[in-house]
Amino acid sequence: MPHRYHPWGRYPRWPQAAVRLNWRDSALPCLSDPTRNYLPFGNGRSYGDSCLTPGGVLLDARGLDRFMAFDPATGILRCEAGVLLSEILAQVVPRGWFLPVVPGTQFVTVGGAIANDIHGKNHHRAGTFGCHVRCFEILRSDGQRLRCSPAANPEWFRATIGGLGLTGVILWAEIALKRISNAATTVEVIRFPALAKFFELSAESDRDFEYTVAWIDCMAPGNQRGRGLFMRANHAPAGGCLSPKAKKHRVSIPVDLPVAVINRWSARVFDSLHYHQKLNSRGAAVVHYEPFFFPLDGIGYWNRLYGRRGFFQYQCVVRHTEEGRTAIEDILQCAAGGQSDSFFGVLKVFGNRPSPGRLSFPRPGITLALDFLNRGKPTLDFLERLDQIVAAAGGAVNPSKDARMSAASFKRFYPNWEILENLRDPRFSSGLWQRVTQE
Amino acid sequence: MRRILIFGATSAIAQATARLFAAHGATFFLVARHGDRLQAVADDLLVRGAAQVATAILDASDYDRHPALIEEIYQRLGELGIVLIAHGSLADQKACERSFEVTRREFETNALSVISLLTHLANRLEQQGHGTLSVISSVAGDRGRQSNYVYGAAKAAVTTFMEGLRNRLYKSGVHVLTIKPGLVDSPMTARFPKGFLWTRPEVVARGIHQAIEKRKDVVYLPWFWYLVMGVIRALPEAVSKKMRL
Ligand SMILES: Cc1cc2nc3c(=O)[nH]c(=O)nc-3n(C[C@H](O)[C@H](O)[C@H](O)COP(=O)(O)OP(=O)(O)OC[C@H]3O[C@@H](n4cnc5c(N)ncnc54)[C@H](O)[C@@H]3O)c2cc1C
Ligand SMILES: NC(=O)c1ccc[n+]([C@@H]2O[C@H](COP(=O)([O-])OP(=O)(O)OC[C@H]3O[C@@H](n4cnc5c(N)ncnc54)[C@H](OP(=O)(O)O)[C@@H]3O)[C@@H](O)[C@H]2O)c1
C-alpha cells in the first residue's frame, strides 16, 4: 500500500508527511515543531504543488467520508469534506439527482472541489462548484471552528471557495443538487476543421445544450491546426429512453513507467485516429453519464503513462475577444511547434455566472487546457512563454493545475491574492503558495 | 430486511462493513462509546440506504450494563440477524510490560468485554435458533510474539472462546464467524509506517460481508494471511524463541 501523497502530474516529487483526519469533532493533530506548516489534502487530483506542503504535514481529509443528511425531496445534501464526488453520484443518481458541477474525473473530494472552485462542461450555465455550495464549516489551527455561508462569515465563505486549502480545513459542506430523470445523457459529437468553426459551434450550442466542450488535435499538421471534435450534451429526458449501465470494469496502470509511452509519436497516431473516428451520423447518442463526463476514469492512474518525470497540465483562460482568440491560436501554434509534446487539448467557452470565490480561476472567456510531458528546463521555459501570451491577453492560469508559474505571473493573474493571504491560516501553506507569493 | 447489531460501531472496519449492509436496506442497532461519533456513523448509514438506525452509548468494559442493554436491543429489534463485535484496542506492549494495570485494561477491552457480550448473546441466538455471531479477532492471536503478546493473548482467548461457541451452537443453527484481519490501515494503526502487506478497511469489510453471506467459520483477511500465519505457526518454539518476532 504505497502512500498516496503525490500530485496528479507526478511533479514535483517531494517526500511528504501526512496525518489522517478521521472525525470532524477532533482537533487538528499537535505538531511538536511549531514552525511546520499544515495543508489539507483531498484525493491528490490537483496536478502540481498546490496539494503539497514541503517540510510540512498534510491533513489527509479522506477519512472524513461520511454523509450527514440528504433530502430526496429538495436535493440538499450535507456531507463531510472527504467524500468523493463518485460516492455522491452513486448515492444520488438512482434517486433522481446529480451534482450541479462535475470536473473531468469523479475521484475528487468535496473539500478539493471547493478549495479549487472547480468547473465543468456546464460552466456557461451553472458557473462553478462554489455557486452551489450553501454552507460549510472550517477548522483553523487555533482550534476555531467557523460556519460559513453567504450570510454567516461571508468573507471567509468567499475566501475559502477557490482558497487553495489555505483558510483552514473544510470539515463538511452542504450542496444543492440538481434534478435529473435518469442516468443517461444525450451526446452529439461534431467534427470541426478549424478554430473559427469551434467558436461558431460554441455560440450556437451554449443556448440549447447544458454541457459543451471540445477536444483539440494538438498534433495536427500545420494547415489543419485547430481541428477537433465538439461535444454537446444534455441529461436525457424522462421516459422512452433506455437507461444504459456504466461499464463496471476498470483497468489500472500499476506503476510509474520508467519512460513515457506518451510522446510525440504515439500522440500523433492517437490524435489522428481520434479525430477521424467514425461519428454517429444520426445525431445524438444516448450514453451513460460516466463515460461522457469521466472518460479517463476508465483507466486508473493513466498519469503513470507519462513516466517518472511526470507532466504538466497548463490551463489558461483569456477574454473572449479577437485578441483572446488570437492568444489561443498562438498558444496552439507554440504547442505544436515546440519541443513539447502535448497530447491532450481541451477547449471551452466559460459563461458569465460569477462565483462567490474571491480567487477563483474560472471567469468569462475562453479556456484551453493542454498536457505537456516534463522534459525539464525546456518545458519550463516554454510554459513561461505561454504565461506571457496569457498575461498579454489579460487572462489567467489555473493554480490547481500548476507546478511552476512565477510569483510575478501569479500576482498579475490574481491581483487580489492578498485577500486570501490575509485570511490564510498562519499555520497553513502549500508549495504553490510559497512559490507564488515570494518577493 | 436484515437486523444487524454492531458493538464498536465507530471502528473503521465496522463502518466499512455496515455500509455494505446499508446499501441493501438493513436495520441497525449501533453501540459505541462516543456519542457524537456514533451519531455521525448512524447518519451516514441512513443516507447510504439503511432502513432504520438506533444507537446506544456503552463503554465495552462496563459489564454490568451488558444484560440490560441486550434486553433493550431485543425489545427494539425483535430478533437479530447478524451480530458483529468489532471494538478493540491495540495495546502498547511496552506499557503492558511495565504495568499489570495496563495489561488488565487491555484484556478487559479485547477479551473480557467480548466474552461477556458473547455469553449473553449466545444464549439469545441459541433460543432464536438462527442468526450470525461474528467477532473481529486478529492474526495476532495465532502466535505469541514479543512485539505484542498481550494483545495477541487477548485475541487468542476470543478465538478459542468462539471455537467452543461454534461447536456448541452448531446444532441450534447459529452461525459463528471468527474474523482474523492482518494489517489494516485504520486509526488503531495510524502510528505505524505502512508497507505492502497493509490493506484498507474497505477490503476487509468486503471479506467480512462475504464470510457472513457464505456462513464461513474462520476467515483470514485478506486471504494471504492464512499462508503467512501457517508458516509462522509452523515454526517450532526452539526456533521461534530466538527470533525477533
Ligand atoms: C483527469 C482530471 C480531470 C480534471 N478535470 C477538471 C475539470 O474539468 N475542472 C476542474 O476545475 N478541475 C479539474 N481537475 C482538477 C481537480 O478537479 C481539482 O484539482 C480538484 O480540486 C482535486 O480535488 P482533490 O480532492 O483531489 O484535492 P487535492 O488535489 O488533494 O487538493 C486540492 C486542493 O484542495 C485543498 N483541499 C482538499 N481537501 C480540503 C479540505 N477538506 N479542506 C480545505 N482544503 C482542502 C488542498 O489543500 C489543495 O489546495 C481534473 C483533474 C484530473 C486529474
Ligand atoms: N487495524 C488492524 O490492523 C487490525 C488487525 C487485526 C484486527 N483488528 C481488530 O479490528 C477491530 C476494529 O479495529 P479497527 O482497525 O477498525 O480500528 P479502530 O477504527 O481504531 O476501531 C477500534 C474501535 O474500538 C473502540 N473501542 C476501543 N476501546 C473501547 C471500549 N473500551 N469500549 C468501547 N469501544 C472501544 C474504539 O472506539 P472509540 O472510537 O470510541 O475510541 C473504536 O471504535 C478491533 O477489534 C481490532 O483489534 C484490527
Side-chain angles (χ1 to χ4, degrees):
Chain A
M1 223 182 71
H3 84 75
R4 50 189 219 97
Y5 307 113
H6 300 288
W8 191 248
R10 308 243 135 196
Y11 173 90
R13 286 181 169 261
W14 288 326
Q16 183 69 72
V19 178
R20 198 155 169 133
L21 308 178
N22 293 302
W23 299 98
R24 56 181 189 267
D25 64 5
S26 305
L28 293 186
C30 264
L31 299 184
S32 45
D33 176 354
T35 62
R36 289 179 84 182
N37 284 320
Y38 295 106
L39 184 74
F41 186 89
N43 206 35
R45 257 51 177 189
S46 299
Y47 281 79
D49 53 356
S50 72
C51 64
L52 297 181
T53 179
V57 176
L58 291 178
L59 302 170
D60 180 351
R62 260 299 273 146
L64 301 173
D65 68 344
R66 292 171 205 90
F67 290 99
M68 296 163 68
F70 175 57
D71 182 346
T74 59
I76 305 286
L77 173 80
R78 188 182 281 210
C79 66
E80 293 179 350
V83 174
L84 294 177
L85 301 191
S86 58
E87 296 169 334
I88 296 179
L89 292 172
Q91 291 301 326
V92 304
V93 168
R95 299 183 219 182
W97 295 94
F98 204 77
L99 282 162
V101 170
V102 291
T105 171
Q106 54 181 331
F107 303 127
V108 311
T109 64
V110 168
I114 296 172
N116 280 330
D117 199 14
I118 59 166
H119 60 272
K121 300 175 176 66
N122 60 348
H123 185 273
H124 60 283
R125 290 265 184 97
T128 62
F129 194 87
C131 297
H132 308 273
V133 173
R134 292 160 51 97
C135 60
F136 52 75
E137 182 176 321
I138 58 174
L139 172 59
R140 308 256 301 168
S141 62
D142 59 5
Q144 199 185 8
R145 286 166 190 266
L146 292 173
R147 227 175 227 246
C148 310
S149 72
N153 296 309
E155 273 316 305
W156 293 93
F157 184 74
R158 300 190 59 187
T160 302
I161 294 174
L164 301 167
L166 299 171
T167 59
V169 184
I170 304 168
L171 297 172
W172 56 265
E174 192 174 280
I175 311 160
L177 305 181
K178 77 166 181 216
R179 264 256 176 248
I180 52 168
S181 315
N182 56 51
T185 49
T186 52
V187 184
E188 282 177 45
V189 183
I190 303 161
R191 206 175 344 251
F192 59 88
L195 269 190
K197 184 71 182 158
F198 160 79
F199 291 111
E200 268 172 43
L201 278 166
S202 192
E204 110 191 13
S205 307
D206 281 358
R207 198 169 17 106
D208 298 328
F209 293 86
E210 168 115 30
Y211 301 99
T212 63
V213 70
W215 166 82
I216 297 277
D217 179 355
C218 297
M219 300 311 253
N223 59 345
Q224 294 174 42
R225 183 161 312 127
R227 72 181 187 184
L229 301 175
F230 190 87
M231 275 155 279
R232 54 190 194 187
N234 284 312
H235 289 285
C241 208
L242 80 159
S243 184
K245 278 237 174 316
K247 276 206 269 211
K248 267 278 146 286
H249 185 65
R250 271 170 44 96
V251 293
S252 195
I253 313 296
V255 291
D256 286 356
L257 302 183
V259 294
V261 301
I262 296 179
N263 57 38
R264 175 170 338 183
W265 311 110
S266 61
R268 186 160 293 151
V269 173
F270 174 88
D271 284 5
S272 183
L273 288 176
H274 192 57
Y275 177 74
H276 290 293
Q277 68 180 273
K278 191 164 176 314
L279 300 180
N280 195 340
S281 53
R282 285 173 300 121
V286 180
V287 187
H288 187 272
Y289 74 85
E290 280 187 355
F292 171 66
F293 287 108
F294 316 117
L296 291 171
D297 285 352
I299 307 171
Y301 296 102
W302 55 262
N303 53 347
R304 290 174 171 159
L305 295 172
Y306 279 95
R308 280 194 61 80
R309 298 183 73 182
F311 67 106
F312 298 97
Q313 177 159 111
Y314 189 84
Q315 185 182 16
C316 62
V317 55
V318 294
R319 280 195 290 267
H320 197 172
T321 55
E322 255 331 295
E323 199 193 2
R325 290 183 187 204
T326 312
I328 296 289
E329 277 172 20
D330 289 350
I331 292 173
L332 284 175
Q333 181 163 2
C334 288
Q339 323 69 1
S340 46
D341 308 277
S342 179
F343 176 54
F344 220 74
V346 176
L347 198 57
K348 160 146 190 83
V349 174
F350 280 153
N352 293 323
R353 184 164 173 180
S355 165
R358 285 286 196 183
L359 237 68
S360 293
F361 160 75
R363 59 200 69 188
I366 314 161
T367 182
L368 173 66
L370 300 166
D371 282 0
F372 295 101
L373 188 60
N374 176 19
R375 294 189 184 283
K377 188 157 183 326
T379 313
L380 293 171
D381 292 346
F382 166 76
L383 295 175
E384 174 62 28
R385 277 216 308 288
L386 299 192
D387 282 354
Q388 302 304 328
I389 299 175
V390 173
V397 170
N398 190 345
S400 74
K401 312 219 170 155
D402 181 65
R404 31 64 48 194
M405 81 171 107
S406 69
S409 297
F410 179 79
K411 289 173 182 172
R412 199 158 160 201
F413 298 148
Y414 301 90
N416 56 0
W417 64 277
E418 277 163 317
I419 296 180
L420 179 54
E421 176 61 15
N422 291 334
L423 295 184
R424 178 172 70 89
D425 188 305
R427 294 292 305 278
F428 281 38
S429 191
S430 62
L432 172 105
W433 198 250
Q434 287 166 25
R435 172 162 50 77
V436 299
T437 56
Q438 69 199 357
E439 293 306 319
Chain B
M1 182 198 51
R2 309 186 78 170
R3 299 183 186 141
I4 305 179
L5 165 61
I6 305 181
F7 291 91
T10 53
S11 112
I13 297 175
Q15 285 183 71
T17 309
R19 288 175 180 181
L20 298 176
F21 286 103
H24 294 106
T27 289
F28 291 90
F29 200 108
L30 306 180
V31 184
R33 65 175 166 182
H34 283 115
D36 290 349
R37 296 178 178 184
L38 183 57
Q39 193 54 48
V41 175
D43 293 343
D44 177 58
L45 294 177
L46 279 172
V47 175
R48 289 177 191 267
Q52 282 174 47
V53 185
T55 60
I57 300 173
L58 173 81
D59 187 306
S61 19
D62 200 349
Y63 311 116
D64 293 347
R65 282 193 55 216
H66 290 183
L69 178 61
I70 290 170
E71 177 59 34
E72 182 195 327
I73 292 166
Y74 261 84
Q75 295 292 338
R76 237 192 127 101
L77 292 190
E79 293 200 324
L80 285 177
I82 299 167
V83 179
L84 173 65
I85 302 181
H87 67 270
S89 81
L90 188 53
D92 176 344
Q93 174 63 31
K94 286 277 170 271
C96 291
E97 287 167 18
R98 282 191 299 269
S99 147
F100 173 68
E101 268 320 300
V102 178
T103 299
R104 192 221 301 267
R105 209 180 55 226
E106 292 302 328
F107 247 79
E108 300 223 347
T109 308
N110 289 313
L112 284 176
S113 70
V114 177
I115 288 171
S116 162
L117 291 170
L118 285 173
T119 301
H120 304 297
L121 288 162
N123 295 339
R124 295 276 185 162
L125 265 74
E126 190 174 33
Q127 251 169 29
Q128 234 181 242
H130 62 88
T132 292
L133 208 45
S134 60
V135 176
I136 309 187
S137 182
S138 171
V139 294
D142 278 16
R143 182 108 207 212
R145 296 173 299 129
Q146 60 176 318
S147 55
N148 72 347
Y149 60 82
V150 172
Y151 176 76
K155 290 293 191 184
V158 169
T159 299
T160 305
F161 191 93
M162 289 287 279
E163 210 168 78
L165 211 51
R166 181 176 304 112
N167 188 208
R168 167 186 152 202
L169 295 181
Y170 174 72
K171 58 183 177 302
S172 66
V174 175
H175 168 214
V176 177
L177 168 65
T178 309
I179 301 153
K180 296 185 183 179
L183 297 168
V184 189
D185 182 10
S186 75
M188 178 180 278
T189 53
R191 59 182 189 273
F192 301 111
K194 311 282 181 326
F196 70 101
L197 284 174
W198 289 77
T199 329
R200 286 177 299 116
E202 296 76 41
V203 175
V204 174
R206 283 199 291 275
I208 295 177
H209 184 258
Q210 211 177 46
I212 290 174
E213 300 300 352
K214 294 193 171 162
R215 296 177 70 89
K216 293 267 174 64
D217 298 323
V218 180
V219 281
Y220 286 81
L221 295 173
W223 64 271
F224 63 78
W225 284 98
Y226 176 73
L227 302 181
V228 174
M229 294 320 294
V231 172
I232 292 183
R233 266 199 322 262
L235 291 173
E237 282 293 327
V239 177
S240 67
K241 72 180 178 196
K242 297 180 193 147
M243 297 172 67
R244 280 188 54 219
L245 288 170

